Structures are given as structure tokens and as C-alpha cells.
Amino acid sequence: MPDRIPTYELYGEYLAGTRSDPVHHETIRERSSQHDWTIRLHRHRKLAQVFVLRTPGVAIRLGDLNFRSQEPVILLVPPGVAHGFRFPPDILGDVITLRPALLREDTAQRLSRLGEAGGAMLPRQGARHFDTIETLMAQLREAMRDFGPDRAELLDTILRLVLIYVDADRAAAQPLGALPAPQEQTLHESQVQAFCGAVEAHFASPMTLESYAAEVGVSKPHLNRLCRRILGTTPNALIRQRRLVEARHLLEFTRHSIADIAARAGFADPGYFSRSFRSDTGMTPGTYRRLHGS
């Protein structure tokens, strides 16, 4: 795929931030409603996704393939395959994003086998376990909110069942033809990945772009060009995004003061932090905490 196709963690996000779960769940509406129901062509180099689309009429693109769903479908997208969607405004559905590196070995192997077989679209009419997979998605959503001692085992068990049923229904899969194989990582993509790793390590510090570039082994202008071409954003915007991810996490799960959270997330000026946070979320840090705090 050409470099101009963005590579995200989740759509519109470039860094994992504080996410450490092997699976992420959200409804289709949560993200698509923020983007006028259009998810532009993008890819996840190390993540696989399973979509349950209960509403027909979804325009789907996988690699160079374009088609429209005629009924509720389950869609499996392997890592590295470019994909995009145009959803109807009344869309109902879920998506789970799987991080193979954090899965238990047998679950990761099952996911790998499914990925090697390429993408698949399972229509409700032919998929015997469609309703079961829907039920498991609802259970997974509830399990994500459970922070008890058995959380990891519960998530893995539900996820493994989802993959077992998807695999069992592959015989009913609508053929999509051969998907283009994900390209090997280029030197420039490796450099961008190294920059993202450096941001994860140093976002809370006042580290300069010159220092980031030196750590990656490129010049500052070259780092700017790489990020714009491969990620579609600037290095400074990426660092700011990572700091805001950290701030949201601290607002949700700690009782630190707003000024303390700003400092912990890497913002030297609490006023600038509040303005940036409001620009990003549409609300003040205090309002966000009242709505989302645990």
C-alpha cells in the first residue's frame, strides 16, 4: 500500500497510550459519528479487527476491493490490510480490535491462522453462529468494564470463543477474492515507528523535536516530512495527542488536581492544557472528569 494510507492504532489515533488490554471494544457509532459516518481508507499494521455490522447498506473497502453489504454481516480484517467504510447514519454494530502481541499463545495462534486465510465477510443468512457472536460481543463489552482479578482470563475466554465461531462460519463466507498482501515495513515506516516509540517513552518530558529526531537518527526537517507523509500529521501534533491520551486516563482513574494532571501529562502550562483539552474533546477537563471519572 502507498505511504499516503495512514497507519493508526485505532482510527484517528497513532499511539496506544495507556491501553494495555489485548482487545478493545467500541460500537460503530462511537467513532463513525465523529467523522460524518465515513472511516477513510487506513490500516493497522499490528492489529486485527472483527466488525459486526447489524445494519445493511454499508459501503466497504478492503484493499482494492469495493462492495456494499446487503444484509447484516461479520467482517474480519487481518493486520496490515487497508480498509475503509461509509456507514448509514442509523448504523448499529460493534468492532473489536485485537492486539496479537498481548493475547495468550493459543488465542494468538488461532487469530494468526484466520489472518493467513485473508479477510472474510460472513452474511447473517449463511453464518450459523451470527447471533452467538453478537451475544459474545455484548458480553465482551461488559467484561471490559470489569476490573476484577479475573478480568484478563475473562476477556481472553470471550475473545477465543468469538474467534472459534468466526472460524466455524468461514465456510459461509462471501468470497472477497485475493486481498493484497501487506507490504513489508519500509525504512521510513521503521523510522516513524521508532519516533512513536520515543514519544511513548518521553511524552511527559520537555524533550525537543531535535532530540527526538536525534534519537531516531534523522534530522528535524526529515522527521517532519516523514510524519506528514506516513502519518498525515506533524510530530508536535503526535506528541500533543499522546499527552491528551494520558490526561484523559488520569482524569478518569485518579483524583489528582487538574494542574497536577497537566504536569504529569507533559503540559508545562495548565492554561494551555485546558485550552488544548477543550479543543480536542469539546469540554473542560473538569467536565470530562465529572462525566467519565470512576
Side-chain angles (χ1 to χ4, degrees), residues 1-15 35 38-47 49 61 63 77-84 183 185 189 192 196 226-234 238 241:
M1 288 296 162
D3 283 347
R4 66 176 177 272
I5 297 177
T7 299
Y8 293 129
E9 270 286 323
L10 299 178
Y11 183 75
E13 302 176 15
Y14 298 99
L15 300 169
H35 299 277
T38 299
I39 301 298
R40 298 185 183 279
L41 195 66
H42 66 287
R43 60 185 175 181
H44 311 283
R45 181 169 294 282
K46 297 182 179 181
L47 307 177
Q49 291 185 302
R61 181 172 177 185
V77 180
V81 173
H83 54 288
Q183 287 187 339
Q185 194 171 42
E189 287 175 328
V192 168
C196 288
L226 285 176
C227 288
R228 286 183 180 278
R229 182 159 62 88
I230 295 177
L231 300 180
T233 191
T234 66
L238 195 71
Q241 176 191 311

Side-chain angles (χ1 to χ4, degrees), residues 42-279:
H42 66 287
R43 60 185 175 181
H44 311 283
R45 181 169 294 282
K46 297 182 179 181
L47 307 177
Q49 291 185 302
V50 179
F51 295 83
V52 177
L53 307 176
R54 301 183 185 89
T55 306
V58 178
I60 302 170
R61 181 172 177 185
L62 279 180
D64 297 325
L65 307 175
N66 292 276
F67 48 93
R68 184 178 296 273
S69 63
Q70 302 300 315
E71 60 178 304
V73 298
I74 293 170
L75 184 69
L76 171 67
V77 180
V81 173
H83 54 288
F85 303 91
R86 174 64 182 173
F87 297 108
D90 62 347
I91 182 67
L92 295 175
D94 301 86
V95 54
I96 56 173
T97 302
L98 315 177
R99 200 179 302 277
L102 298 182
L103 295 173
R104 295 186 179 182
E105 184 176 359
D106 58 338
T107 306
Q109 289 174 350
R110 181 176 293 276
L111 176 61
S112 178
R113 290 194 297 270
L114 283 168
E116 289 169 1
M121 186 166 72
L122 311 179
R124 178 187 284 278
Q125 290 296 324
R128 293 186 300 116
H129 302 103
F130 195 102
D131 292 341
T132 302
I133 295 171
E134 277 194 306
T135 300
L136 288 168
M137 283 287 203
Q139 293 175 352
L140 184 65
R141 182 169 61 248
E142 292 303 314
M144 294 291 294
R145 301 171 182 168
D146 182 356
F147 287 89
D150 298 324
R151 183 173 188 268
E153 183 174 356
L154 182 60
L155 289 175
D156 187 83
T157 299
I158 297 173
L159 177 56
R160 188 164 62 250
L161 286 172
V162 169
L163 296 178
I164 287 171
Y165 285 122
V166 168
D167 196 16
D169 283 348
R170 282 187 66 85
Q174 178 174 325
L176 301 177
L179 292 176
Q183 287 187 339
E184 293 296 321
Q185 194 171 42
T186 66
L187 172 62
H188 287 171
E189 287 175 328
S190 296
Q191 290 169 333
V192 168
Q193 184 177 10
F195 171 61
C196 288
V199 172
E200 287 288 353
H202 305 299
F203 70 88
S205 76
M207 189 166 171
T208 65
L209 277 188
E210 287 84 359
S211 296
Y212 275 112
E215 182 162 327
V216 175
V218 298
S219 67
K220 178 182 172 182
H222 188 59
L223 181 61
N224 269 292
R225 288 193 296 271
L226 285 176
C227 288
R228 286 183 180 278
R229 182 159 62 88
I230 295 177
L231 300 180
T233 191
T234 66
N236 277 326
L238 195 71
I239 296 167
R240 175 178 171 274
Q241 176 191 311
R242 179 61 184 89
R243 289 171 173 171
L244 289 171
V245 168
E246 187 71 11
R248 289 196 297 271
H249 176 78
L250 292 172
L251 287 167
E252 290 173 19
F253 297 107
T254 77
R255 300 310 302 169
H256 297 306
S257 69
I258 301 299
D260 190 25
I261 286 174
R264 288 170 181 264
F267 290 93
D269 180 359
Y272 175 69
F273 162 64
S274 293
R275 292 192 297 274
S276 295
F277 193 91
R278 185 163 191 166
S279 175

